Amino acid sequence: MRHPPYFRPNSNVKRVMAPIHRALNIGFALLATALAVLPASSAVAQTAPAASSQAMPGAPELPLQISWEVRNRFRLFREERDFLLHSQSGAGSSVLASEQALELQSDGRGWARNTVNRLCIDLFGRVSEPCTRDNVKESYLTPVDHPVTIRLTGPVPVGATCAWTFDDGDGPRLFTFDCAEPLNMRVRYGRSTVAMVDVSSGAETPQRVSTRIRVRDIFIAGLGDSIGSGEGNPDRAIALADEGFCFRHYLGTAGAQYYRPSRAGYKGGRACEAPESLQVWQRYSALWFNSACHRSLYSYQTRTALALAVQYPHIAVTYLPLACTGATIPDGLFGSQRARECPPTKTSAACQGTVNAQLSELRTALAAAKKRQPDRKLDLILLSIGGNDINFSGLVADVIVDTPTERALFRRTGGMGSVEDSRAALARELPQSFGRLREALKPMIGGDLSHVVFVSYANPTLADGGVPCRGGRAGFDIHPSFNADPQRLANVSSFVQNEFLPRLRALATCQSGVLCRDPAADRMTFVDFHQAAFADHGFCARAGTDPEFDRECFSEQGQSFDPDIVTAANQPMLCGRGAGEYRAYLPRARWIRDANDSYFAAMTYPQGLPASSQPADIHDATWGILSAVYGGAVHPTAEGHAAMADAALPAVTSVLQINPSEPDIVEEPAAPIDTAPPSR
């Protein structure tokens, strides 16, 4: 059955996207905290508590049932405690509510800061084959079995004995336990396991209950650019020092300097006259689960795949993240691209300057999987692409870089764009590239592009119900040359809203004059429901509930930092508070990182630039600008990505035809016990 290419969630989804009450967040956070510290054996038992044998007055009594669920079913996580954190905070709630609860629980430090070291994909993007998950070695791309927890629920008699039988076609396995005890076992991939239990209790007639257990392992790949990768949200945010660090101005004299917060732990020269090697500086970087592409566990693609596993206990999700910051369709999807940066290391290992093409990486992974399991297929692709193809970063530079010297230099080096140039690329290059991409994806996804879920961008410039931000230095005073020009900002906002976003929809769905060879098979499933929510949460959105540090230290007049280089060397914040108090992962009104957020969360230096473009030292003016934007300025926050995941999840479940209903339960009297002596 073919699904509609365009999916708009119903009113229930709109409800979960509503603002979340703080009290509910705190309740979820406390529950997640309590469960996170339980021993593994205890925590498993908490994931699906047995139904009470005491029915509510007047309610019909539920029959005996065999209930089961897959344990640690988001297979990117090596340890079940990381999955339980999300299964508890996300139970019955939206991804956004779960994210906000976890943000409060972590005091804004972020839930991913420890999880990032416990994945089946390493920091260089390599899949661990095999991956040791909960002390069992598994093939990540081609699992042969899955761990499940099975229990008897309903009116279970106290003290009853359960004689369990499990048969997957290779002969029965028999176990006898107290019926109150859950069973942990592994069931074969691609097979049904018949589970049967005989329930005996005193003189009562034994009962037999049976069901079929079959785990559906869903293989999802994430492709695209910085919106797909999670740019702006390092898994472990940078730790900033309270004292200042010196940067130079472009073409300035020795006196043309300014100070911003330094990196915590860095003991080298902080003054512009005391250069230091990049290697020493990088030891104190933010950490991404893939630094070369700024892939983050907070990305909407990861959160969508994770939420799928949280909500549906009978599936497992094998997720392959490949999206990369800076990717275009030609350079990133079809061809290699420049690496963003490198993982922090204590050695002098050379930084790999390029990243392999995403489509090539996906083909290689699929070929390896099919070699081991011929029936293994890719079930779904999450995709966001096109922003870099029209040079959106150049539009951002045109809006925020305001001083004449810097604007001239950015134009000379090709770092600044214009609406006219982006409009031309939108009319010519992007449609051609998109058509080529469509043809490349079809054979990977079985010829049906409805299994490519294209999640569109949100307009980052809107607040107060869709009104464009006013502009100014607020949120951008991390660099002296930044000032969001109101007229240029309004022009870019209008272009994005009225031209770019509608054109993306048309390209993905073969509409509005976009010609496709086979429209029925070539339409992608398109998601843009989140755009309405982002209309209140652009980079300029502020609220009285924002974190205290933000309200006190990020000036609405764009005067957050001390311009006096003598006093700023020791205390760069005019509010008098230490920069280390900033928390990247606390709920706030803006779901878009501004330049101040980018610096305070990531403070990234572009190691991946060609040697000819590398600055002379770490105080260089080039890195002064890039450190303020290269870590994710004008990209969604973790809350923004969670809202995008909430929009994408209904479309994903529809495309995959996931049925949340329990399998049929068969209840019958148990077979009579054979007491006759064995035949001779």
Side-chain angles (χ1 to χ4, degrees), residues 256-344:
Q257 303 173 358
Y258 65 97
Y259 277 82
R260 294 297 181 262
S262 183
R263 291 182 174 183
Y266 173 68
K267 304 300 182 184
R270 295 184 290 111
C272 284
E273 296 76 23
E276 181 60 88
S277 71
L278 175 62
Q279 181 184 345
V280 173
W281 181 252
Q282 288 299 96
R283 293 175 187 170
Y284 308 98
S285 297
L287 182 64
W288 313 77
F289 89 79
N290 181 267
S291 296
C293 286
H294 279 191
R295 289 184 198 133
S296 167
L297 292 173
Y298 295 105
S299 78
Y300 88 82
Q301 295 186 346
T302 303
R303 294 311 303 269
T304 301
L306 174 55
L308 195 67
V310 165
Q311 292 194 14
Y312 296 96
H314 292 174
I315 68 171
V317 175
T318 301
Y319 169 61
L320 184 62
L322 296 171
C324 195
T325 287
T328 65
I329 296 175
D331 300 320
L333 291 183
F334 281 101
S336 62
Q337 67 173 94
R338 180 65 57 180
R340 203 66 169 175
E341 61 175 311
C342 295

Side-chain angles (χ1 to χ4, degrees), residues 399-641:
V399 169
I400 69 172
V401 178
D402 199 51
T403 54
T405 298
E406 279 78 2
R407 288 186 65 81
L409 287 171
F410 266 65
R411 285 197 190 95
R412 189 181 309 162
T413 58
M416 187 169 290
S418 68
V419 169
E420 292 74 21
D421 290 342
S422 293
R423 183 177 289 123
L426 184 62
R428 294 193 300 267
E429 288 87 358
L430 183 57
Q432 295 173 4
S433 296
F434 208 96
R436 185 184 172 205
L437 175 61
R438 196 190 310 276
E439 294 304 311
L441 291 177
K442 285 183 72 173
M444 295 185 187
I445 204 69
D448 182 2
L449 288 184
S450 69
H451 284 249
V452 176
V453 177
F454 190 105
V455 180
S456 189
Y457 304 91
N459 189 334
T461 69
L462 303 178
D464 300 324
V467 178
C469 294
R470 298 192 309 269
R473 286 179 52 75
F476 292 91
D477 52 336
I478 190 68
H479 193 278
S481 73
F482 290 173
N483 180 28
D485 179 82
Q487 187 57 57
R488 295 195 298 264
L489 177 59
N491 291 342
V492 168
S493 181
S494 176
F495 168 73
V496 169
Q497 191 70 24
N498 300 320
E499 299 180 56
F500 177 54
L501 296 180
R503 187 59 172 169
L504 275 183
R505 176 203 284 261
L507 289 170
T509 59
C510 301
Q511 296 176 346
S512 302
V514 174
L515 300 178
C516 297
R517 292 186 181 182
D518 181 4
D522 288 356
R523 294 190 185 102
M524 299 177 183
T525 299
F526 190 79
V527 174
D528 64 356
F529 176 68
H530 53 285
Q531 290 173 355
F534 272 85
D536 290 310
H537 296 284
F539 67 76
C540 61
R542 290 173 177 260
T545 54
D546 283 349
E548 184 178 305
F549 180 92
D550 293 33
R551 289 184 279 115
E552 291 190 7
C553 296
F554 289 152
S555 163
E556 293 190 50
Q557 290 73 41
Q559 297 172 354
S560 307
F561 303 97
D562 192 338
D564 186 289
I565 63 172
V566 176
T567 55
N570 293 314
Q571 173 52 276
M573 306 296 303
L574 280 174
C575 66
R577 301 180 66 162
E581 297 181 43
Y582 174 83
R583 294 290 180 265
Y585 299 108
L586 280 179
R588 41 179 54 92
R590 60 184 179 279
W591 290 355
I592 299 293
R593 299 278 189 209
D594 56 32
N596 291 4
D597 290 324
S598 176
Y599 185 97
F600 275 64
M603 196 190 179
T604 297
Y605 280 7
Q607 288 173 280
L609 290 176
S612 59
S613 301
Q614 294 285 353
D617 63 68
I618 61 176
H619 303 283
D620 187 278
T622 301
W623 279 3
I625 281 191
L626 293 180
S627 66
V629 296
Y630 210 66
V634 199
H635 284 78
T637 65
E639 288 180 275
H641 278 284

Side-chain angles (χ1 to χ4, degrees), residues 64-292:
L64 286 176
Q65 299 181 50
I66 296 174
S67 298
W68 62 276
E69 66 175 323
V70 184
R71 300 197 313 274
N72 196 9
R73 49 190 177 267
F74 186 59
R75 299 187 61 251
L76 182 66
F77 291 168
R78 287 197 283 114
E79 298 187 14
E80 188 171 27
R81 57 177 167 166
D82 294 316
F83 179 72
L84 289 174
L85 185 71
H86 291 273
S87 66
Q88 297 301 331
S89 69
S93 70
S94 65
V95 183
L96 177 58
S98 175
E99 174 59 35
Q100 291 171 331
L102 292 173
E103 289 184 348
L104 293 172
Q105 176 190 329
S106 69
D107 188 32
R109 291 174 171 84
W111 57 264
R113 69 191 187 282
N114 296 320
T115 305
V116 67
N117 290 322
R118 301 191 289 259
L119 304 175
C120 283
I121 297 177
D122 68 19
L123 297 179
F124 296 90
R126 298 172 301 208
V127 174
S128 299
E129 287 286 10
C131 180
T132 300
R133 302 180 68 246
D134 298 314
N135 300 315
V136 177
K137 287 186 177 180
E138 301 179 11
S139 169
Y140 184 68
L141 296 179
T142 52
V144 298
D145 55 22
H146 292 91
V148 297
T149 295
I150 305 160
R151 50 173 51 87
L152 186 67
T153 61
V156 181
V158 177
T161 300
C162 282
W164 293 90
T165 303
F166 300 95
D167 193 345
D168 62 6
D170 288 342
R173 290 176 284 175
L174 309 177
F175 307 94
T176 300
F177 293 103
D178 186 299
C179 289
E181 293 293 323
L183 281 77
N184 291 329
M185 61 183 296
R186 301 183 75 87
V187 296
R188 295 282 294 274
Y189 165 82
R191 289 191 186 185
S192 290
T193 297
V194 177
M196 183 171 62
V197 60
D198 291 337
V199 184
S200 301
S201 177
E204 297 181 10
T205 303
Q207 287 184 295
R208 174 171 290 174
V209 182
S210 64
T211 191
R212 288 183 180 271
I213 299 172
R214 187 182 180 95
V215 178
R216 181 181 176 188
D217 192 286
I218 297 173
F219 189 4
I220 299 175
L223 300 177
D225 55 22
S226 55
I227 300 301
S229 74
E231 175 68 280
N233 301 281
D235 299 277
R236 188 179 300 157
I238 190 93
L240 292 177
D242 295 344
E243 64 268 12
F245 181 85
C246 180
F247 292 103
R248 301 186 188 94
H249 286 285
Y250 278 107
L251 305 179
T253 64
Q257 303 173 358
Y258 65 97
Y259 277 82
R260 294 297 181 262
S262 183
R263 291 182 174 183
Y266 173 68
K267 304 300 182 184
R270 295 184 290 111
C272 284
E273 296 76 23
E276 181 60 88
S277 71
L278 175 62
Q279 181 184 345
V280 173
W281 181 252
Q282 288 299 96
R283 293 175 187 170
Y284 308 98
S285 297
L287 182 64
W288 313 77
F289 89 79
N290 181 267
S291 296

Side-chain angles (χ1 to χ4, degrees), residues 661-674:
S661 65
E662 292 283 334
D664 292 336
I665 305 293
V666 179
E667 183 179 9
E668 58 190 39
I673 299 175
D674 187 0

